[in-house]
Amino acid sequence: MTTHTRPAVRIGMVNYINTAPIHEIWKSRRHDASWQMVEEHPAALNQMLAGGEIDLGFVSSHEYGIRPDQYEILDQLSISAHGPVGSVFLFSTIKPEMLSGLAVLLSVQSKTSVCLVKIALEKFFKVSPVYIEDEVRNARKRGAAGVLAIGDDALRLKIEGTYQYCLDLGELWRQFTGLPFVFAVCAVRAEFAREHPDLVRDVHLELIACRDEGIASLAEICQLAAPRIPMDVDVCHRYLRGIEFNLGPLKQQALQRFFTYLFEFEEARKECLPLKIRKVEE
């Protein structure tokens, strides 16, 4: 008698509360034992997807932009905002347009946000800071006048209120481009998608179902997520209402604009257009 082993899949999930509407629902549902959820911060997931340590998952938009030949983007899924995102901030002791020549500490946890703050400072504000990469908690020790913080670190710094200036980079991007910003996409390794199309479709559909259920249950999700910061449940609710998880045509246009900047900043070897979007029906 021949037995067929189901192929395993390793799925990357950002371990910030901005994914809670998807992640908390995922954890509450039963899945095949061969579906392994890997929780990490965005930069770690980028490395894992590039290195083949996970097969698909949420990664920084930057990761797709610099290696477009390796991936396909799963349609209808993102971590994005049309305006203020509430968890990607440039904190500063002085006005951001006065940061030329001064140290700005960049979080090591997200390449997308690092590129976004460089676009904001150099293209929008026309300033040239000195960038240093380190953990956010070391900003004061490193003498940084500004600090890029993302995710849960950014939420904590915002609540603490220790910096005079706090610039929401999602809002700034909208002001200068008129577009939403896509911080992360759900990408699959192209080779894995070719070898296991049915499995990729099943996981894709499940992620969309979790997203839809999570958005519909946002009040309950906030009760679970808020203590992690910690933050008030109502504040958490307002924050998560500003996060969007879809990937419509306008957001695809926003990705293309961001990738154009990556090429200009020599982050990407070539322009990665058109986007390779894997439709859920495939």
Side-chain angles (χ1 to χ4, degrees), residues 44-94:
L45 292 176
N46 295 345
Q47 294 177 350
M48 295 174 79
L49 191 66
E53 296 176 65
I54 58 174
D55 305 302
L56 63 90
F58 287 92
V59 293
S60 298
S61 299
H62 176 277
E63 176 60 29
Y64 177 87
I66 63 171
R67 279 182 271 267
D69 296 338
Q70 292 189 23
Y71 309 126
E72 296 178 24
I73 296 173
L74 298 187
D75 194 25
Q76 302 184 37
L77 292 167
S78 76
I79 302 172
S80 54
H82 202 144
V85 64
S87 59
V88 181
F89 292 113
L90 173 63
F91 296 96
S92 181
T93 58
I94 61 175

Side-chain angles (χ1 to χ4, degrees), residues 114-145:
V114 165
C115 289
L116 179 55
V117 80
K118 289 181 178 179
I119 292 167
L121 291 171
E122 297 177 33
K123 302 286 284 188
F124 300 162
F125 287 136
K126 310 296 184 185
V127 297
S128 300
V130 176
Y131 300 114
I132 55 177
E133 292 194 4
D134 204 338
E135 297 291 340
V136 168
R137 64 176 179 270
N138 295 328
R140 297 288 192 184
K141 183 168 61 177
R142 298 292 299 272

Side-chain angles (χ1 to χ4, degrees), residues 11-281:
I11 305 155
M13 179 63 69
V14 176
N15 62 356
Y16 297 154
I17 69 167
N18 61 11
T19 62
I22 300 174
H23 194 190
E24 293 295 342
I25 298 300
W26 179 282
K27 290 188 293 185
S28 73
R29 293 160 71 113
R30 295 186 63 181
H31 300 102
D32 191 280
S34 63
W35 291 20
Q36 178 188 357
M37 178 67 75
V38 178
E39 302 173 20
E40 265 294 356
H41 62 74
L45 292 176
N46 295 345
Q47 294 177 350
M48 295 174 79
L49 191 66
E53 296 176 65
I54 58 174
D55 305 302
L56 63 90
F58 287 92
V59 293
S60 298
S61 299
H62 176 277
E63 176 60 29
Y64 177 87
I66 63 171
R67 279 182 271 267
D69 296 338
Q70 292 189 23
Y71 309 126
E72 296 178 24
I73 296 173
L74 298 187
D75 194 25
Q76 302 184 37
L77 292 167
S78 76
I79 302 172
S80 54
H82 202 144
V85 64
S87 59
V88 181
F89 292 113
L90 173 63
F91 296 96
S92 181
T93 58
I94 61 175
K95 292 181 179 179
E97 53 266 38
M98 298 174 63
L99 284 169
S100 275
L102 299 178
V104 172
L105 184 141
L106 305 176
S107 167
V108 295
Q109 296 187 358
S110 171
K111 289 292 187 181
T112 296
S113 298
V114 165
C115 289
L116 179 55
V117 80
K118 289 181 178 179
I119 292 167
L121 291 171
E122 297 177 33
K123 302 286 284 188
F124 300 162
F125 287 136
K126 310 296 184 185
V127 297
S128 300
V130 176
Y131 300 114
I132 55 177
E133 292 194 4
D134 204 338
E135 297 291 340
V136 168
R137 64 176 179 270
N138 295 328
R140 297 288 192 184
K141 183 168 61 177
R142 298 292 299 272
V147 55
L148 166 69
I150 70 167
D152 295 359
D153 283 340
L155 291 170
R156 292 186 187 102
L157 278 183
K158 184 71 162 58
I159 291 168
E160 290 170 8
T162 53
Y163 286 86
Q164 184 176 358
Y165 297 93
C166 176
L167 191 67
D168 188 302
L169 295 180
E171 174 61 15
L172 186 71
W173 173 268
R174 184 178 67 172
Q175 289 174 1
F176 279 84
T177 68
L179 294 168
F181 192 79
V182 181
F183 292 91
V185 296
C186 193
V188 59
R189 289 177 61 85
E191 181 181 10
F192 187 84
R194 287 193 301 270
E195 293 175 355
H196 306 290
D198 293 342
L199 178 57
V200 171
R201 183 195 62 235
D202 291 346
V203 174
H204 192 176
L205 286 169
E206 177 66 2
L207 287 167
I208 291 172
C210 289
R211 177 202 65 190
D212 292 347
E213 184 177 338
I215 291 171
S217 310
L218 201 56
E220 293 84 351
I221 296 295
C222 291
Q223 294 284 345
L224 295 171
R228 287 172 45 185
I229 299 301
M231 67 194 303
D232 184 81
V233 172
D234 290 338
V235 174
C236 182
H237 194 266
R238 287 195 297 273
Y239 163 62
L240 287 178
R241 283 180 61 188
I243 305 292
E244 299 173 356
F245 303 96
N246 55 11
L247 190 64
L250 193 61
K251 289 184 181 171
Q252 293 178 31
Q253 181 184 340
L255 274 176
Q256 292 171 344
R257 176 75 66 88
F258 177 62
F259 293 151
T260 298
Y261 280 126
L262 289 190
F263 185 67
E264 288 182 19
F265 275 70
E266 299 184 347
E267 289 280 336
R269 291 191 300 272
K270 63 178 181 178
E271 293 186 272
C272 54
L273 302 176
L275 304 179
K276 292 185 293 183
I277 307 289
R278 189 175 187 84
K279 302 293 185 183
V280 74
E281 296 84 6

